[in-house]
Amino acid sequence: RASGLTRASRMIHSNVPARDSARLNKRLMNMKQPIIHRELALLHPRMQEAIWHLINDLNAAQARGEIDIAILPFETYRSPIRQDWLRDNQPKSTNASAWYSPHQYGLAVDFCGWKDEKPTWQIPTSAWELLHKLARAHNLEAPIGWDLGHIEHPDRRVLKPA
């Protein structure tokens, strides 16, 4: 298997009898907002290592005064239920349906600024540019021009489980 993410997705329904699975899905979809995962441990091992290095570089840049705000992950693994919820409820955040996003495979991370322990996407262009520069230094990509905080592993198509 490519990562432990298949285990994570199975855990959602592992203790639920098949007859109750549809009821659980409906209840999860009706949540105000499905769970946001920020755990790096849910990422593909190759992505996990690169993101650790990227976070360290971002922290060092902030310590040197190159940026005046912490830039950290907002979301790592994204469940298929959350992916569809975002597509249906916040169309400016994604165009992808469940299983068409590298988030479901642990191959993407959304970053944002953090101020007073709260996420913000209102950060200077220079901070986004630094995120992209440092991501490229760790062989990662920022392929979505309108989603400045989205960082992906370049092998996302190869590393997805079959």
Side-chain angles (χ1 to χ4, degrees):
R1 294 278 173 183
S3 73
L5 294 177
T6 53
R7 286 192 311 273
S9 61
R10 278 197 307 265
M11 285 174 22
I12 294 171
H13 296 282
S14 63
N15 296 323
V16 179
R19 62 179 160 39
D20 293 334
S21 185
R23 195 172 341 156
L24 176 63
N25 279 341
K26 184 175 181 177
R27 193 171 56 192
L28 289 170
M29 286 300 290
N30 289 331
M31 292 172 67
K32 183 175 181 184
Q33 184 178 66
I35 296 167
I36 298 170
H37 292 281
R38 295 191 174 104
E39 303 89 349
L40 297 184
L42 295 175
L43 294 172
H44 186 284
R46 288 189 199 174
M47 184 68 166
Q48 196 177 96
E49 183 177 352
I51 293 298
W52 272 115
H53 291 298
L54 177 56
I55 291 169
N56 287 335
D57 287 352
L58 289 164
N59 288 338
Q62 184 184 15
R64 289 190 304 268
E66 294 177 43
I67 51 176
D68 62 356
I69 189 167
I71 300 175
L72 296 167
F74 175 75
E75 186 167 31
T76 58
Y77 168 75
R78 183 180 296 154
S79 72
I81 290 169
R82 178 161 161 75
Q83 185 69 36
D84 281 342
W85 184 90
L86 283 171
R87 185 203 58 221
D88 295 343
N89 294 286
Q90 295 183 352
K92 291 183 180 178
S93 67
T94 186
N95 296 324
S97 297
W99 301 112
Y100 287 91
S101 167
H103 283 281
Q104 276 86 76
Y105 303 95
L107 297 169
V109 174
D110 289 336
F111 282 82
C112 68
W114 288 85
K115 192 170 186 102
D116 300 323
E117 299 183 20
K118 294 181 182 171
T120 179
W121 286 262
Q122 305 304 312
I123 65 174
T125 302
S126 60
W128 291 122
E129 290 169 350
L130 180 63
L131 169 66
H132 297 167
K133 176 184 170 187
L134 294 173
R136 285 190 302 273
H138 294 291
N139 298 315
L140 299 171
E141 298 177 343
I144 304 173
W146 54 268
D147 190 353
L148 298 175
H150 182 85
I151 303 296
E152 291 184 7
H153 195 283
D155 297 333
R156 64 194 170 279
R157 290 176 187 87
V158 176
L159 295 175
K160 287 182 183 178

